Amino acid sequence: PSTSHNPDVIVVGGGIGGLSTAFALSRVGLRVRVLERAKEFGEVGAGIQIAPNCTRILDEYGLLDEAKSLGVLPENMVMRDALDARELTRLDLRDLERHYGFPYMVIHRSDLHGIFLRACRAAGVELLTDRTVVAYEHGDGGARILLQDGGAEEAPLVIAADGLHSVARRQLVGDDVVSSDYVAYRAAVPIDQVRDNGIAEKDVTVYVGPRCHFVQYALRGGDMFNQVAVFESPKALAGKEDWGTPDELDAAFAATCDTVRKGIPLMWRDRWWQMLDRDPIETWVHGRIALLGDAAHPPLQYMAQGAIMAIEDGWVLARHAARHTTDDGVDWDAALAAYEAVRVEHCRRVQTTARAWGELWHLDGEQRLRRNTVMRELDPYGYAFTDWVYGPTALSPDEEPAMFTPIPLASARIGEPDAAAAL
Ligand code: FAD
């Protein structure tokens, strides 16, 4: 029995991972307190892709209809060559929905974050802003966090959902982020501004090119158009501190096809995202402190599964908390062991596959042409390739489907620096 002064769980970080986890835990009857560093809850950035493994969870939470009303259900996911614009492969997203039972959706990040924020409020989650956690300590049958303002709080479980630059990760693991030397520019603009650019309004289109790629899809009921431009920064390769700056953007896309080049001037130039990830780690649970979301497994975004993995983490943890609840409360050690047993390996696969995808997308010269030939021969309805990602989230390692990637040569060497060279 807890009072509002003694939550069952403290969640550090109110991003998509922290809020969705707080909501999941409150649904199984736990008292949850979220501590967020920012003055207000919110998300920066533009669109986010939500695959069936996540819309399935939103549906279980009773949030899918709201998400659908704010997002867009695209018809196809189409991959094209960024230089000659030729189609390489596609997924028919209507058929994908029939196959998995849940849709592939795109939504504004702030809309998805807002859905979880409202759900947390309605569920009675304690939501506290302006709380910066500076250190973690193990406590008696729990864990403690120390706040910048000198305060301390304790709970049977502390979840660190504090993102890529996690304080908990630094303290408990101590590894560094890994730079890919790639940078992302984003923009979401009224769709009228791009109608003459040769866009496919109803599709998610990914143009893959030498050392760059470009993603496009409509948002907010089709009124807005989201674009992401990603490229390798020459300044990063030269070891400069200040890399990925706007002057590098135009040069990176100068040789691309019309539709891509027309999109570049619309990119936001006052903010960009250096593409960093971390090497996978095997231990996310330290006593009663658990890493979750980007704090545990920040990926390069090429599989569009980063936020989804965070949402899955919370769903899995809540399921195991419920399974390990007795009259004495939750057996957190058992629940956390079960969480770690299944999530570490799944997320490792996504992280390493995302790196390999990046190499494959960004090939040049002869390798690019060979990749294009392989991709054009793929069966667009071959779901064996997507089941391990888009299928139902596994609760235990034996539920996890076998892993395939559509490019056998790359999959054999996934995670190795020369994965793409195998082509
Ligand atoms: P964050 O969103 O980073 O949230 C961490 C929160 O913790 C923040 O609110 C922060 O203020 C707070 N915090 C940090 N430190 C402290 C502290 N010391 N004390 C208190 N609070 C703290 N994912 C997808 O699923 N689909 C996509 O299509 C997709 N596209 C992407 C495109 C790009 C260009 C990028 C960069 C990423 C993309 N991702 C995508 C990945 C996704 O954005 C992240 O994986 C996801 O947002 C991680 O959520 P999180 O809650 O773990 O971390």
Side-chain angles (χ1 to χ4, degrees):
S2 24
T3 71
S4 65
H5 298 294
N6 289 312
D8 298 308
V9 183
I10 290 173
V11 176
V12 180
I16 289 170
L19 290 186
S20 60
T21 299
F23 177 63
L25 293 170
S26 73
R27 286 180 81 238
V28 299
L30 296 164
R31 284 177 186 273
V32 187
R33 176 180 299 165
V34 177
L35 305 175
E36 165 58 45
R37 172 179 63 183
K39 294 245 184 310
E40 278 173 35
F41 286 100
E43 260 282 336
V44 286
I48 194 161
Q49 303 182 47
I50 297 295
N53 54 318
C54 186
T55 49
R56 175 187 297 272
I57 293 175
L58 293 182
D59 184 59
E60 186 183 309
Y61 288 169
L63 303 175
L64 183 58
D65 287 339
E66 191 184 356
K68 274 186 182 171
S69 75
L70 295 167
V72 168
L73 300 187
E75 289 179 2
N76 301 286
M77 168 115 70
V78 181
M79 184 169 281
R80 294 181 179 277
D81 185 286
L83 299 187
D84 60 21
R86 278 187 69 187
E87 179 171 327
L88 302 178
T89 186
R90 65 167 58 213
L91 281 175
D92 170 346
L93 297 178
R94 298 291 159 83
D95 193 68
L96 190 103
E97 176 171 353
R98 279 189 289 277
H99 181 78
Y100 291 110
F102 295 91
Y104 196 102
M105 196 174 71
V106 293
I107 186 168
H108 201 287
R109 302 169 81 86
S110 58
D111 291 340
L112 182 63
H113 186 267
I115 288 170
F116 283 120
L117 188 61
R118 286 189 292 278
C120 280
R121 281 200 185 114
V125 172
E126 229 185 311
L127 296 161
L128 304 177
T129 52
D130 208 1
R131 305 285 201 288
T132 300
V133 173
V134 291
Y136 294 73
E137 287 176 357
H138 300 297
D140 241 2
R144 204 166 23 249
I145 56 93
L146 307 182
L147 290 158
Q148 199 168 41
D149 64 12
E153 297 193 16
E154 195 162 335
L157 172 64
V158 171
I159 295 174
D162 51 347
L164 174 67
H165 298 288
S166 165
V167 169
R169 176 93 173 222
R170 186 166 66 225
Q171 183 188 323
L172 299 168
V173 183
D175 62 336
D176 283 328
V177 295
V178 177
S179 172
S180 67
D181 298 336
Y182 276 71
V183 60
Y185 280 72
R186 291 159 149 168
V189 297
I191 194 128
D192 292 337
Q193 288 188 21
V194 291
R195 281 234 160 84
D196 298 333
N197 289 7
I199 59 165
E201 283 183 40
K202 299 203 180 302
D203 295 341
V204 174
T205 311
V206 184
Y207 288 88
V208 295
R211 293 170 295 282
C212 69
H213 74 265
F214 194 69
V215 184
Q216 296 184 312
Y217 51 83
L219 276 178
R220 290 234 166 108
D223 294 340
M224 284 175 92
F225 201 64
N226 185 62
Q227 302 192 116
V228 188
V230 177
F231 64 89
E232 187 177 53
S233 155
K235 283 200 220 165
L237 294 176
K240 300 212 168 116
E241 280 282 299
D242 174 31
W243 59 274
T245 44
D247 52 298
E248 295 190 303
L249 173 66
D250 300 302
F253 288 90
T256 54
C257 64
D258 272 7
T259 302
V260 174
R261 261 186 304 112
K262 285 181 180 165
I264 297 298
L266 298 168
M267 305 313 293
W268 296 330
R269 285 170 190 247
D270 56 349
R271 176 118 207 230
W272 50 92
W273 286 263
Q274 295 178 345
M275 304 276 71
L276 314 171
D277 69 354
R278 290 177 187 266
D279 290 331
I281 50 168
E282 287 184 5
T283 306
W284 297 358
V285 177
H286 298 255
R288 293 294 184 78
I289 306 165
L291 301 176
L292 181 142
D294 271 8
H297 46 73
L300 297 179
Q301 89 280 16
Y302 309 141
M303 303 256 307
Q305 286 280 319
I308 294 178
M309 285 192 286
I311 293 167
E312 289 182 313
D313 288 348
W315 181 83
V316 168
L317 186 60
R319 279 295 190 94
H320 285 300
R323 277 187 184 179
H324 291 96
T325 298
T326 63
D327 291 345
D328 299 332
V330 181
D331 177 350
W332 280 118
D333 298 326
L336 291 169
Y339 161 74
E340 197 177 52
V342 65
R343 295 304 296 160
V344 165
E345 173 58 13
H346 179 84
C347 297
R348 184 193 69 76
R349 291 176 177 186
V350 174
Q351 283 178 289
T352 54
T353 307
R355 285 180 176 176
W357 271 127
E359 290 177 34
L360 193 72
W361 287 9
H362 299 139
L363 292 175
D364 198 0
E366 184 64 22
Q367 289 185 326
R368 162 184 160 247
L369 299 176
R370 289 168 70 186
R371 173 206 60 205
N372 289 359
T373 306
V374 173
M375 285 208 159
R376 276 197 290 267
E377 282 166 6
L378 292 175
D379 171 9
Y381 296 94
Y383 293 113
F385 298 133
T386 50
D387 280 350
W388 73 274
V389 200
Y390 296 163
T393 305
L395 282 167
S396 62
D398 54 294
E399 287 179 9
E400 192 79 58
M403 178 185 173
F404 293 98
T405 79
I407 308 293
L409 288 169
S411 73
R413 313 182 55 150
I414 268 168
E416 295 179 22
D418 58 347
L423 278 172

